[in-house]
Amino acid sequence: MTAKNLLVELFVEELPPKALKQLGEAFASALAAALKKEGLAPEHATVTAFASPRRLAAHVTEVLAVAPDRPVVQKLMPVAVGLDADGNPTPALLKKLAALGADTRIVPALRRESDGKGETLFYDSLARGVSLAAGLQKALEAALAALPIPKVMSYQLADGWRSVHFVRPAHGLVALHGSEVVPVSVLGLEAGNTTRGHRFEAAADPVVIPDADAYAATLQRQGAVIASFAERRAEIMRQLAAAAAAAGGKPVEDEALLDEVTALVERPNVLIGQFEAEYLAVPQECLILTMKANQKYFPLLDDSVENAGKLTNKFLIVSNIRPADPAAVIGGNERVVRPRLADAKFFFDQDRKKSLESRIPGLAKVVYHNKLGTQGERVQRVAAIARLIADSLGGGELAHKAEQAALLAKADLLTDMVGEFPELQGVMGRYYALHDGLDAEVADAIEDHYKPRFAGDSLPRSLVGTLVALADKLETLVGMFGIGQMPTGDKDPFALRRHALGVIRMLAEGNLDLPLEAMLAAVAEKFSAVEGFQPATAQLADFIYERLAGNLREQGYTAQEVDAVVSQRPQRLGDIPKRLAAVRAFLALPEATALAAANKRVGNILKKVENPVEPVVDNALLEEAAEIALHDALVDVVPLADAAFVTGDYTESLTALAALRGPVDAFFDEVMVNADDPVLRANRLGLLAKLHGAMNQVADLAKLSV
């Protein structure tokens, strides 16, 4: 059987732009997977997805017209049930064969084989391979059913009687195996070899696709459509770069916007527009956001050395048409963007008529959470937490600025600009704080207190900002845990996992001297006036350490290394990178494996003792040479390890333990820990407790044992 390439296209009305890329990939992969399952396409078949605003398509290589026959093994029943004493089929076997459509004459040919429980009858047969028409019909229906469509619409077919359900009304279906049309139907459409091109610029209508491999080229040549999402995206990027260079700027980088614009056009044409320079007096974040969010433009930034990153009054339009004279298109877009920019300027001018401080009382009218009160009450808690943390780090001017920034941090929520563009909260607060004449550090902290907003986001630019951001996230975490709103499964409506990672990053990367659990307990005290609040410090600490462990593994540390350090629950998260480095250095020592195994053994011995063992040793009770040698080694090593630990030199602290390997090995070879004499046994357990304490200050070395 000769294999040919297959092309399937579904022509529809404009698809949701933000979902187009995913829809295209899902359609192609589901269609190919179904064909492979039916045996019509090999596992190594190449699958190419196409997606434009009005079509989903897939090209699959090496597709057969008919799938090969497949052997089928049917387990029937135990021999004792299927055959009588004379070897004749029982009524049960005859009934089973009839249900399978098998002739009773095949009974002598039934295979007997043990299934582990006894001898069983098996029926071996060949299943006829499915035809491409039947297999593709099934695959097409499965692919459409599996599309990640959040909401379908119902529409009536041309006959006026039937209705179908899909993301958008479908108007055409192409199914070509080589150059032959595959007779399939879906959504009331019969497959053919014609499609539609660009609404205005197609050279032919309809566009005839001669064969599967000519799809993309024919559609581009006759239909003025670049069918491939990836190729269209690359073409837009190329044109954006060329236009920006011609205009002397650099387009704003935004992958999501680029994907959305790619999903809006079939034949991209990048043009340069501009607006009045007077609007540049408005914060550029406002202008950039309104151009991107509302108009899908790419604002141009100055790329000169002296003004790098500063917004210019030019922007790039990705048009879907290529007129000989683009002036009308450019002029129309300039007229459309002007009112948007005027609105932004109006909001900015109006907002500056009131100070941020004057807006604080208004937060008392904004509900934060029905159990945790208003935004006004929340701001007071955040300010108290920020001062608490700042006082523990030195207080003074730092505490004053942190408290001031925390009180003002949410005030911009009541401004017109943030009301129109919620994404600008914090950003506008900074601009308005500077306008009010506040300290630059306070203004920066107002913007930065939302950071880090996502994985990989930058941290606040100053210590003041860090403390306010830390206070804000701790207030959320402690508050939500205190009213029982913990994340469950994949549900995390208050983004507590993200807040926890933000706390971890600020404490660790900022190397702040803030003991975690003591800080959580102190924050919980700020909720004393909240009715129904129950401190959940232990649960929250567990939650943070779990996030910490996951984050460290993502950074490339092994599960053993992470477990060894995090299981000790270090209170200063800034110590953790040094502890991990120390563990890695320790593992490189030749003594590491033996010491880790010995530590695990010591831990197991101490766990079996009913009462906690104190690390106290009576020298007079040391009898064996090996236990005396271990004690002497501890006397030498422990002060060195402790001194290094106190100064934060964790690598040196662990390295010092290498000298214990010999004495530890000899102790376990020659000394009976569980001696018959209870006094002697207790003394030896005390010696092991002392050893265990010395070995587990930096990390739990037992976790490193294989």
Side-chain angles (χ1 to χ4, degrees), residues 637-650 652-653 697:
V637 168
V638 169
L640 297 175
D642 286 351
F645 180 82
V646 169
T647 61
D649 190 346
Y650 300 131
E652 180 58 34
S653 183
Q697 290 191 99

Side-chain angles (χ1 to χ4, degrees), residues 266-289:
E266 294 181 314
R267 190 188 194 198
N269 181 30
V270 174
L271 304 170
I272 303 170
Q274 67 179 34
F275 55 85
E276 289 77 4
E278 67 184 78
Y279 291 119
L280 293 176
V282 179
Q284 69 178 48
E285 292 90 344
C286 309
L287 304 181
I288 289 172
L289 185 59

Side-chain angles (χ1 to χ4, degrees), residues 381 384-385 388 478 518-530 533 535 537:
R381 288 194 295 267
I385 295 166
L388 172 77
V478 172
M519 181 172 61
L520 296 179
V523 170
E525 293 177 5
K526 303 303 178 184
F527 288 83
S528 58
V530 177
F533 176 85
T537 303

Side-chain angles (χ1 to χ4, degrees), residues 35-81:
L35 291 172
K36 291 175 182 179
K37 184 178 179 181
E38 292 291 336
L40 289 163
E43 285 299 321
H44 63 265
T46 301
V47 183
T48 305
F50 297 96
S52 82
R54 298 197 295 160
R55 74 200 74 239
L56 298 175
H59 182 274
V60 186
T61 62
E62 301 181 55
V63 176
L64 298 170
V66 180
D69 295 342
R70 293 180 296 171
V72 177
V73 177
Q74 183 73 40
K75 181 180 177 180
L76 300 176
M77 58 189 66
V79 172
V81 176

